[in-house]
Amino acid sequence: MKIKSSVVLVTGANRGLGAAFARGLLASGAAKVYAGARDPNTVNVPGAVPVQLDVTRPEQIANLARELTDVTLLVNNAGISEMGPVLAANAVDSLQRLFDTNTIGPLRLAQAFAPVLLANGGGAVINVLSVLSWVTLPGRSGAYSASKAAGWAISNALRHELKAQGTQLLSLHAGFIDTDMTRNVPGPKSTPEEIVQQTLAALEAGESEVLADTVTRDAHRGLTAEWPVYLGARE
Ligand SMILES: NC(=O)c1ccc[n+]([C@@H]2O[C@H](COP(=O)([O-])OP(=O)(O)OC[C@H]3O[C@@H](n4cnc5c(N)ncnc54)[C@H](OP(=O)(O)O)[C@@H]3O)[C@@H](O)[C@H]2O)c1
C-alpha cells in the first residue's frame, strides 16, 4: 500500500519504535497518524493525534475502532519484554502478561480494525514481531519468544484471512533495536529509524515479511539447517 495520504493507528507510539513509526509515517506523507498510548499525555510526536489505548483493554480497542473510521493502516507495535527462565516460579504469570500484550492485544486490534480497513479500500496491518519468534535466548527469553512465536503464527493466519478483503499483512522481524526495551543489553543494535525505513519500503513494495537485520536473516535461514537454529547450539 502507499503511505501517502494514508491514515494510520500506531500502538505504543509514545516512545521507542512506535514513536519512530509515527514520525516516519508523517515524514513519508501519511495524512494522519493516531498515536496510541496508555497515557496520551506522554505522546511527543509533532503532528500526531494522541489517542488513549491500552492494548490489553478490549473495551478501549472496540471504542477506538468505532471512533477512528478513517484508518487505512494499523501498526501493531506496542509490546513488553520480561526475561527469565521458564522454570522460574513466576514464569506462568509472566507468560500470561506477555501473551496479553504481545499476542492477544494485536489480534484484538486486527479483528476490530479489519472492517474499518475493508470499508476504506483494504489497507494494511503491520505486526511488530522479532527474531525471537524463532529462537530463544537460553534461560532468558522463553516466555517472550513464545509470545512472539504465537504472534508469528497468528500473523500468518491473518495474512490469508485478510487477503480476501484486499488487506496486506506485513510482519516485521528484528534483532536488538536501540530503545528503552534494550537499555541494559550490550552489543550492536539497529536504530528505530533504520527499522522503520525498511518496514515502510517493504509495505510500499507489497511484501509480507521484513527480516530487518543480519541476525534475523541468519536465524531465518538457520531454521532449515541440518542442526536448526531453534534447537540452539550443539553440545
Ligand atoms: N527493542 C528491541 O530490541 C526489539 C526487537 C524486536 C522487536 N521489538 C518489538 O518492538 C515493539 C516496540 O518495542 P520497543 O523496543 O519500542 O519497546 P519500548 O521502548 O519498551 O516501548 C514499548 C511501547 O509499548 C507500549 N506498551 C506496552 N504495553 C502496552 C499496553 N498494554 N498498551 C499499550 N501500549 C503498551 C509502551 O507504552 P508505555 O510507555 O505506556 O509503557 C511503549 O510505548 C515491541 O512489540 C517489541 O516486542 C523490540
Side-chain angles (χ1 to χ4, degrees), residues 12 14-15 17 38 54-55 77 129 144 148 175 177 179 182:
N14 54 315
R15 58 193 176 93
L17 187 62
R38 287 191 277 206
D54 180 331
V55 302
N77 163 81
L129 302 170
Y144 177 85
K148 292 294 185 180
I177 308 166
T179 66
T182 56

Side-chain angles (χ1 to χ4, degrees), residues 42-129:
T42 60
V43 173
N44 184 20
V45 178
V49 181
V51 292
Q52 180 161 39
L53 177 61
D54 180 331
V55 302
T56 67
R57 302 275 300 272
E59 74 289 0
Q60 287 190 5
I61 294 172
N63 287 342
L64 220 50
R66 271 192 295 273
E67 285 164 21
L68 310 184
T69 54
D70 52 354
V71 168
T72 61
L73 170 62
L74 165 66
V75 183
N76 266 323
N77 163 81
I80 57 169
S81 159
E82 296 185 16
M83 294 286 148
V86 288
L87 285 175
N90 64 357
V92 171
D93 289 345
S94 176
L95 190 69
Q96 281 172 338
R97 285 190 294 272
L98 286 159
F99 265 73
D100 281 346
T101 304
N102 295 354
T103 316
I104 295 168
L107 175 57
R108 283 194 204 280
L109 274 142
Q111 288 177 334
F113 277 91
V116 177
L117 298 175
L118 172 62
N120 295 323
V125 176
I126 297 175
N127 279 350
V128 178
L129 302 170

